[in-house]
Amino acid sequence: MAPAGALPAPRIHPLGWALIALRLLLMLAMLILCAPLHLVWRLVGAGRWWPRVFLAAVGSIAGLDARVEGRRVKGALLLSNHVSWLDIPALSHASGTAFVAHDGLSAFPVLKWLCEMNDTVFIARHRRGSVGEQVEQIRAAMAETGCLTLFPEGTTTDGTDVATFKSSLLSALDPLPEGLAVQPVALIYEDVPRISWVGEEHGLDNFKRILARLRPIRLTIRFLPPLEGTQLADRKAVAQAAQAAIARTL
């Protein structure tokens, strides 16, 4: 997680625990419904429709109220700022995207299985020798899914600014695959200090804190103009241009 300080985890009241239990039951019910249907869909080559339904339901059950501004470019690699685990269901619902994630998530079998349902590409940030293999994974995923989202900050932030985009995470764009569009996406939360996942807060504590929340979580997903010209010269230019575009929006 990001080193910046976060709000201390508030004490969860009885109503909050009731909300957590209800929301977890609803999410489990959606998983039980969507997982078998997803397997059937994949067997007949019908794509990733059910993971998108499941992730949209998870966001809705958690209280996410998202609106979309702008339009996603078809076949684009989306570069987004990263604030919360809610970014995943929000962007999936808005664009049908798959994601690039760090390989630490694959250490948790259930979480890995859920990620793989949505064709997540796992990359090893600290294994330089695997960069070539990871580049091929990302390019193959783009060809198969048509839309892939990368969080170039490499971590979550407090949502008020954008951390430096790591150009090393964009190795698959150097050189840029022919015909690939690169589009920045700004995620703007209304009550961002109480939504963001930063500091030393444990992931489970953040998850419970969000699910115990009574108020809706309002989010604007703003698709910005795709990069063009010299902005696409190399991966460093891509990282700098996308970061600047999102920072101006925030």
Side-chain angles (χ1 to χ4, degrees):
M1 302 310 303
L7 289 176
R11 177 174 175 268
I12 298 177
H13 296 282
L15 179 57
W17 284 111
L19 277 174
I20 291 173
L22 175 61
R23 284 169 166 161
L24 285 175
L25 285 173
L26 291 173
M27 290 178 185
L28 179 60
M30 285 303 302
L31 180 60
I32 292 172
L33 171 66
C34 293
L37 292 171
H38 166 67
L39 294 176
V40 173
W41 251 241
R42 292 303 290 262
L43 285 174
V44 299
R48 293 183 299 109
W49 194 76
W50 287 104
R52 184 175 180 180
V53 170
F54 171 69
L55 287 171
V58 166
S60 180
I61 292 167
L64 188 61
D65 179 12
R67 66 170 183 167
V68 176
E69 296 180 355
R71 178 177 294 182
R72 177 180 72 84
V73 174
K74 186 176 181 180
L77 175 69
L78 306 180
L79 302 182
S80 173
N81 60 313
H82 198 13
V83 180
S84 166
W85 59 268
L86 290 167
D87 302 346
I88 307 297
L91 282 170
S92 177
H93 178 57
S95 65
T97 183
F99 295 89
V100 177
H102 66 82
D103 62 347
L105 294 178
S106 64
F108 303 92
V110 175
L111 187 55
K112 179 182 179 182
W113 174 63
L114 290 173
C115 290
E116 289 177 341
M117 282 179 59
N118 197 49
D119 292 335
T120 297
V121 178
F122 293 104
I123 60 172
R125 296 176 185 165
H126 306 297
R127 285 167 39 206
R128 293 186 177 275
S130 65
V131 169
E133 178 184 344
Q134 292 168 182
V135 168
E136 291 307 314
Q137 286 180 320
I138 291 174
R139 294 193 183 200
M142 280 297 304
E144 181 177 344
T145 65
C147 184
L148 194 64
T149 295
L150 178 67
F151 298 109
E153 291 164 301
T155 185
T156 51
T157 69
D158 64 7
T160 60
D161 201 355
V162 186
T164 301
F165 277 15
K166 297 177 173 60
S167 63
S168 60
L169 298 178
L170 302 174
S171 298
L173 304 181
D174 202 3
L176 188 71
E178 185 177 354
L180 175 66
V182 181
Q183 184 174 21
V185 184
L187 301 180
I188 309 166
Y189 286 89
E190 184 176 279
D191 191 14
V192 68
R194 299 189 179 278
I195 301 302
S196 58
W197 179 16
V198 294
E200 300 301 321
E201 183 180 26
H202 192 279
L204 182 58
D205 290 337
N206 179 270
F207 184 68
K208 291 187 296 184
R209 179 163 63 83
I210 296 297
L211 294 192
R213 180 184 168 95
L214 291 172
R215 296 175 57 191
I217 300 166
R218 304 193 190 282
L219 166 66
T220 298
I221 304 170
R222 186 170 296 162
F223 290 98
L224 303 174
L227 304 184
E228 57 185 8
T230 57
Q231 295 175 323
L232 299 172
D234 54 38
R235 58 186 170 90
K236 290 185 178 181
V238 169
Q240 291 171 359
Q243 178 186 335
I246 294 172
R248 286 193 298 269
T249 299
L250 297 181

